[in-house]
Amino acid sequence: MSSPPLFIATNDFSALPEFPEDVYVKVDRGSLLTPVPTLSINIQKMEYSLPSSPSLWLKVLESQKVVGVDKKSVMELGSLVGKVLQAVTDTEERLALFKDQRRLREVTSLIVGDNVKVQVTSSSGRRERGVLRYVGPVCHKQGQLYGVELVGSAMGKGFTDGSLRGKKFFHCKENYGVFVPGSRIDRAHAEVPIPKLVRADETTSGFEEDSTRGFQNPREQQTRKLHFLPRGVKEHSPTKSNEKGQINEEKLVKWRIPEEHAEDEPQHLTTQPPTQEPQSELNLSADDHHPPASLYCPPSNGGTSSLLPETEQQALGLELNSMVEVHNPPIYGVIRWIGQIPDSSDLIAGLEMEEEMSACTDGTYRGNRYFHCGPYKALFVKLRNCRPDLRFYSLSGKSNPIQRCNSIAFRDYTSECVEENTPPLSGREAIECLTGWKKGIQGHCNSCYLDATLFCMFACSSVLDTMLLRPADKNDIDPYSATRDLLRIEIVNPLRRNGYVCATKVMALRKILEAAGKSTGFTSEEKDPEEFLNQLFQVLRVEPLFYIRTPKKKPEGCIFYQIFMDRKQSEDVPSVQQLLERSLVTGDLKFTEALSCLIIQMPRNGKNFKLFPIIIPTLELDITDLVEDAPRQCCICQSLALVECHDCYEDTCIAPGHIKQYCDICNKQVHLHRQRRGHHPRDLGVSDLNEQTVFPRQVMQLYAVLCIETSHYVAFIRIHSQNSYHWVFFDSMADREGGENGFNIPQVAPCPEVMEYLQMSPEELKREDPKSIPMYARRLLCDAYMCLYYSPDLSLYK
């Protein structure tokens, strides 16, 4: 019994529902449909107030919905083509294969024993060599799959020995085999050397033109060779060039179409199938090269517009900014212009190529400028010869966000490099430079943890600039200089001078961090700021920001200090000062020396559980009593303190909420009380000083706060302005342009209301309803994750 015919939707369209009371059903392009065996009574009795009734009632295989469609919206597939496309589960990937008729014919003609190239995983852009061992259905999966035994360098990269779900389909070693759909397999073609090109006014014979590269620069025509033939070439005809950068439209190749698969060619329901035209691309060249200006530009001398009707672009499946490949082996680029040129009736695509090629221009052809790009990077080809860039395709229909984060795709969002060391701005100048849309650091692919941390560290403070300036030495690992220069020249300096950094710069840093350490996922996964800080300090070999220890133990270097609470303290609305002191007293810890920078992580149990609903970020953090061997005042008489008593910390009768240290006389008097006789005061280890000694307080200033509500990190920074401060809020993904493959737009916004709430007392904040607090102030008080402090006195010397 023959299988029912299959149809494919060539465009998105709305179809009639099965039941009259239902709304119209959207059918996505690339969807497969099959005729309904028996029409239900609901469909037969339907009455539609439409000019014409639907031509076909079909079931959408993806959604299993029955819809009424017009014949012009779908195309019928042959039996074999239908089986191949049915195994491709993603509609966009399926449609791309269907539109590439040359490749589709090649895939359907593959037989067991053919040498092939396969994409082993859906997320991989690499094609591995293999031998086709099986063609047909596999277990419960629909359609026709291809079983391939990997060979060469790909051996061992598979996931099967030729069996699936206990059934054997072919034999190979364990992990040497893969099963892939037709969209991820190609015939492996041998590379054939080609005679060198001759001058443009001579006739070539025995020459197969590489139409994507076209004719080489005249100075190179006698020496450069092309090293591959187009896929499917059987024989060639003489070709004559008539003008520089253009070739005669003679038939260059004859494509081999197996007769046994002729009936499987797609047939339109109302018209005859179009004849296959010769697959040659048009390559243009020019001598003039101009610096790039705007992204798109219409022809300057009367050429046609680059904008096509929307329906025509959709039918082709490609549009402006589509990432495409041409020829085989492929070369890659991005469509920057689509239109027609005077000497061709075909639609032409202007591509900006990834690599410079001698046959390319800067976006001009015969004196007309169609778009702008760098010299030797503009290639003009027939639009029908472009196909989606398979490096960015996967079975889920999603492009690879890591590979997509490149200078071509992010051309409209690029940021400049700044070589000169740039100090942070302050006051009104900093606010004007940093605030607004497309300001800060652009987020991409779960990068908010890193964007917000970098913004806090460097936007308006130079306390950590030493990591940007240290010269390399023999003990540095390989990526040190590259990481340091990338961070300084492409991230920190541009952020301070122009107020913006593109996601491509941050992705380059993420790749270095992932390659340099044992921890993976820096390029794509959600991470925490502490993971990023540890990895960055390790790669740059930055000295710890501070040393901390318990009495008589060896100091330990730290990058940040995480507050731990053995139990919840009495304060419902604590400050960072209170939390830090309690944590250090509980752990019997002291800083070994005065600090220039201190990063404090708030007490939380994971990202979601907060130990306190509100934490007040202390604006001026006093660490005098937290540094060992620092001269301190007696908490009672203010003379030189000689001992400290942690047992007195909880005593509310003496300086409640503070660390207790005493001079010799006060220490004796305090511990004469019967409730304190069991305390164990500890010597501070300071020598006697005269009574005139001044005891300076070591105070650090808050300059940034990193926040997270559930899974998205944002930042607040404090901008100094003469005798006052201004607060701004940063979100690397505040808005988005485009859909799933679009671009995040960062924003830095002033938030003056924050200062008002930071100056409130704990009692006042306790009376506030968090829901009534303005958004920015609420996020700062309720979602604080890390607070960053610096010492105005020491930051210049550390």
Side-chain angles (χ1 to χ4, degrees), residues 601-632:
Q601 184 175 347
M602 299 300 102
R604 298 172 71 112
N605 185 5
K607 297 179 180 178
N608 299 324
F609 180 74
K610 305 171 186 176
L611 198 57
F612 301 95
I614 292 179
I615 296 177
I616 304 174
T618 304
L619 296 177
E620 293 187 348
L621 187 70
D622 192 337
I623 63 169
T624 307
D625 298 338
L626 306 177
V627 180
E628 67 179 11
D629 299 335
R632 296 148 60 184

Side-chain angles (χ1 to χ4, degrees), residues 1-60:
M1 183 176 178
S2 61
S3 302
L6 288 176
F7 300 84
I8 187 170
T10 55
N11 290 298
D12 295 333
F13 65 88
S14 296
L16 296 176
E18 179 180 3
F19 299 96
E21 63 272 13
D22 291 344
V23 297
Y24 278 76
V25 177
K26 181 184 177 182
V27 179
D28 296 326
R29 60 182 182 177
S31 298
L32 292 179
L33 306 95
T34 185
V36 179
T38 57
L39 299 182
S40 68
I41 189 171
N42 295 307
I43 298 176
Q44 292 175 345
K45 292 184 177 182
M46 261 183 181
E47 293 183 0
Y48 294 97
S49 56
L50 297 173
S52 59
S53 300
S55 305
L56 292 171
W57 287 99
L58 305 173
K59 177 185 288 188
V60 183

Side-chain angles (χ1 to χ4, degrees), residues 360-419:
C360 293
T361 73
D362 65 344
T364 59
Y365 170 60
R366 291 189 176 181
N368 290 340
R369 178 166 295 282
Y370 293 86
F371 65 97
H372 289 276
C373 69
Y376 303 105
K377 298 192 77 173
L379 181 70
F380 292 84
V381 299
K382 292 179 180 179
L383 183 60
R384 58 182 169 83
N385 291 329
C386 299
R387 57 184 181 269
D389 191 333
L390 292 180
R391 297 176 302 173
F392 306 139
Y393 258 68
S394 68
L395 288 181
S396 62
K398 299 177 181 178
S399 63
N400 187 318
I402 303 172
Q403 293 177 331
R404 196 176 70 87
C405 192
N406 57 66
S407 58
I408 295 180
F410 280 70
R411 176 171 176 171
D412 287 350
Y413 296 88
T414 187
S415 56
E416 299 177 356
C417 297
V418 178
E419 295 277 352

Side-chain angles (χ1 to χ4, degrees), residues 299-304 368:
S300 56
N301 296 328
T304 57
N368 290 340

